[in-house]
């Protein structure tokens, strides 16, 4: 549940429109949802001064993939504390470990249960008090 303040902002980056629509549908009641098609557009949105309370990023996107986006996000101080959930169509344990070591807060395999995504988001917010 959200507190009395305005809804938290979720930045979702995925090049698959189906994933975008599913996540937006399940999350828009509790959060302000911003959708970008790739990591480059997501990074530009942040650099324009927009605030994300949590980011969901697909691992495989054009222009700037999830892993590179994560490296850029964690490299500077400005966005280094924003929680990130990585989505991947691959169940490759090595990829998962690399993303978690690079600063991802969670890693989910597609297809996923949108209610599980919501539960993980709320768990992250409980832990981080965001």
């Amino acid at each position: 549940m959200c507190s009395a303040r305005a809804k938290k902002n979720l930045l979702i980056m995925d090049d698959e429109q189906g994933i975008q629509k599913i996540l937006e549908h399940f999350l828009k009641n509790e959060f302000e949802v911003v959708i970008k098609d790739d990591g480059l557009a997501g990074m530009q949105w942040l650099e324009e001064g927009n605030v994300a309370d949590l980011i969901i990023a697909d691992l495989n996107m054009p222009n700037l993939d999830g892993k590179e986006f994560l490296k850029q996000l964690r490299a500077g101080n400005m966005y280094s504390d924003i929680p990130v959930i990585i989505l991947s169509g691959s169940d490759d344990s090595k990829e998962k470990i690399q993303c978690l070591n690079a600063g991802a807060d969670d890693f989910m395999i597609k297809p996923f249960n949108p209610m599980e995504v919501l539960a993980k988001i709320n768990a992250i917010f409980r832990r981080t008090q965001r």
Side-chain angles (χ1 to χ4, degrees):
M1 290 303 273
C2 287
S3 61
R5 86 170 182 93
K7 291 181 179 180
K8 294 182 186 312
N9 293 323
L10 297 186
L11 171 58
I12 297 173
M13 297 176 300
D14 199 307
D15 56 323
E16 291 180 54
Q17 286 200 337
I19 299 291
Q20 292 174 359
K21 284 181 175 29
I22 289 167
L23 288 171
E24 185 173 31
H25 174 77
F26 275 90
L27 301 173
K28 68 182 179 191
N29 289 336
E30 286 198 46
F31 306 103
E32 291 296 331
V33 177
V34 174
I35 306 279
K36 298 295 175 187
D37 290 326
D38 61 54
L40 192 60
M43 189 57 83
Q44 288 170 340
W45 183 82
L46 288 169
E47 289 171 349
E48 289 166 3
N50 296 295
V51 176
D53 293 296
L54 185 136
I55 297 169
I56 298 175
D58 184 25
L59 187 59
N60 298 307
M61 299 180 284
N63 300 321
L64 187 63
D65 68 24
K67 210 181 304 181
E68 285 304 312
F69 173 83
L70 196 54
K71 284 180 190 168
Q72 286 188 22
L73 193 76
R74 296 301 186 228
N77 290 334
M78 232 170 133
Y79 314 115
S80 61
D81 66 334
I82 302 172
V84 177
I85 297 173
I86 297 288
L87 300 178
S88 175
S90 164
D91 194 3
D92 182 2
S93 185
K94 190 177 113 196
E95 289 268 75
K96 185 187 292 189
I97 291 165
Q98 287 175 348
C99 288
L100 292 168
N101 284 336
D105 295 270
D106 211 328
F107 189 100
M108 295 186 72
I109 308 300
K110 297 178 189 177
F112 50 81
N113 179 334
M115 298 309 291
E116 184 181 351
V117 175
L118 179 59
K120 286 182 180 250
I121 290 169
N122 286 327
I124 288 170
F125 285 146
R126 273 195 311 274
R127 278 197 316 272
T128 61
Q129 300 295 310
R130 285 185 81 86

